[in-house]
Amino acid sequence: MRKQSRILALGVLALSMFAFSCDDNDSTPKGDINDPDQAQGSLSFGITDAPIDQADVSAAFITVTEIKVDGQTFSGFQGPKTFNLLELQNGNSLDLGQGNVAAGSYSSLELVIDAESDATGSGPGCYILKTDGTKEKLELASGNATSITMAPSDFKVEENANTEIIMDFDLRKSVKSSGDDYSFVTNNELNAAVRAENKAMTGAIKGKIDNAAAASGKVVVYVYEKGTFDASTETSGQGSSDIMYANAVSSAKVNADGTFNLSFLSEGNYEIQCDKPEENDSGLGLSTLLELESNVDLSNVGVNAGAETNLNLSLKLDGILGSSINL
């Protein structure tokens, strides 16, 4: 009888542990962000852009047909949507939808783009407009459509709270040219050209180069994770598409008044580099790395979530690190 009681007690304990385990598992998604039986949180997406190097491009349009989270379609996006990425610089972004999803942690994000058809059903879906008014389709290496895969950090949707993910589609890294012909880079390079961040966990670096006009033309500022910039590789072009400054986290064109805005950077320490893009007779980019002066250490610039780091800079007039130009 005592043995039967012990067996019964062990059975009750096992059932209790199983019930607790089931209740605990119910608090996390079952692989479907659209599961209505799970605790709910709000998820929204936005998209921004870094500038393109080619001076003869006035607009760059892409068509997004779907957003996926861990392989599941995000119903908050109502597509397709076609928009000009070059309008989304200097901290500007476009809302790509909001919706309630199962609360929990996620790992992957996919942006599905269509190069063949735009939001109206006409073609092409991805294209550039040149300064002379001509339109040129941006071909994809994988055909008419592709999924760009990202892995946002801090990708967690809290119950009864909103999580906003911002995608930075870096045109400078994602579009290549050969003479007058333009296309997207390879699929692997395209995946590397688009990053995603939890917006609440990001900050910005804003600055002004007080003598930027001395460079007599376009100037671009690049931001790298601290200690990762290597001039010998970053200025020589990498991969099959010869991408310049391939490992930069982001970049920003310096405005006519010398100001620039590097937005949506995850919290951490960064270094700043500056370049004057040039082109040779074949249209390929040349590096003219410029030296900056500041009262702060530009190899160790801190960024805090929800805050702006402000920099006052000057071009060192005799500090050309790459090809020479007249300042």
Side-chain angles (χ1 to χ4, degrees):
M1 192 70 177
R2 188 174 299 170
K3 183 177 181 181
Q4 289 178 336
S5 297
R6 187 181 299 113
I7 293 173
L8 180 61
L10 289 173
V12 171
L13 178 60
L15 287 173
S16 299
M17 292 178 67
F18 177 79
F20 175 81
S21 175
C22 289
D23 288 341
D24 184 59
N25 287 338
D26 285 343
S27 65
T28 59
K30 298 177 180 178
D32 186 356
I33 63 168
N34 301 308
D35 186 349
D37 296 327
Q38 296 295 311
Q40 299 289 295
S42 175
L43 178 62
S44 59
F45 290 98
I47 192 165
T48 189
D49 173 46
I52 195 168
D53 284 344
Q54 292 84 353
D56 63 340
V57 175
S58 62
F61 288 84
I62 68 166
T63 298
V64 177
T65 59
E66 189 177 10
I67 296 175
K68 295 181 179 180
V69 176
D70 284 5
Q72 302 295 319
T73 298
F74 173 61
S75 60
F77 172 75
Q78 300 297 315
K81 288 186 178 182
T82 302
F83 48 89
N84 178 13
L85 279 168
L86 283 183
E87 293 180 339
L88 306 176
Q89 299 182 48
N90 297 316
N92 295 316
S93 62
L94 176 70
D95 179 16
L96 290 183
Q98 180 274 333
N100 289 332
V101 301
S105 296
Y106 297 94
S107 58
S108 69
L109 169 64
E110 294 175 65
L111 188 71
V112 184
I113 62 174
D114 186 351
E116 192 68 17
S117 301
D118 64 13
T120 68
S122 303
C126 297
Y127 59 94
I128 64 166
L129 287 179
K130 296 184 179 180
T131 52
D132 63 5
T134 59
K135 177 191 291 189
E136 184 171 339
K137 179 182 178 182
L138 288 171
E139 301 282 356
L140 286 163
S142 57
N144 292 330
T146 194
S147 291
I148 301 172
T149 303
M150 295 154 275
S153 56
D154 302 303
F155 194 3
K156 185 175 183 179
V157 178
E158 301 285 355
E159 184 177 357
N160 298 322
N162 181 65
T163 298
E164 183 176 0
I165 301 296
I166 189 81
M167 292 173 276
D168 185 356
F169 199 113
D170 196 333
L171 279 173
R172 186 185 59 79
K173 296 181 183 180
S174 57
V175 173
K176 64 180 180 179
S177 62
S178 177
D180 293 330
D181 296 326
Y182 288 81
S183 64
F184 282 114
V185 295
T186 67
N187 290 346
N188 287 339
E189 290 169 335
L190 193 55
N191 283 333
V194 187
R195 65 184 178 95
E197 305 285 353
N198 184 330
K199 186 177 179 181
M201 305 303 293
T202 67
I205 297 175
K206 293 186 177 182
K208 182 174 183 179
I209 302 176
D210 57 21
N211 61 344
S216 302
K218 181 179 177 181
V219 175
V220 178
V221 174
Y222 300 91
V223 59
Y224 284 78
E225 292 182 356
K226 178 185 175 183
T228 62
F229 178 73
D230 182 343
S232 63
T233 57
E234 293 298 286
T235 61
S236 61
Q238 297 181 48
S240 60
S241 303
D242 288 326
I243 300 171
M244 308 285 283
Y245 300 97
N247 294 307
V249 176
S250 188
S251 61
K253 181 181 177 181
V254 177
N255 300 314
D257 63 355
T259 59
F260 62 88
N261 186 349
L262 296 159
S263 302
F264 310 116
L265 302 173
S266 61
E267 191 171 66
N269 295 316
Y270 296 89
E271 55 184 297
I272 304 295
Q273 302 293 334
C274 186
D275 177 85
K276 178 179 170 60
E278 297 286 318
E279 291 186 352
N280 59 22
D281 293 337
S282 66
L284 298 177
L286 297 175
S287 168
T288 307
L289 190 61
L290 307 178
E291 188 173 357
L292 293 170
E293 295 180 313
S294 176
N295 58 356
V296 301
D297 182 1
L298 296 180
S299 67
N300 187 19
V301 178
V303 172
N304 295 317
E308 295 178 358
T309 299
N310 292 286
L311 300 176
N312 293 312
L313 310 169
S314 296
L315 290 175
K316 189 174 181 180
L317 298 184
D318 59 350
I320 309 303
L321 304 182
S323 307
S324 61
I325 60 174
N326 295 320
L327 291 180

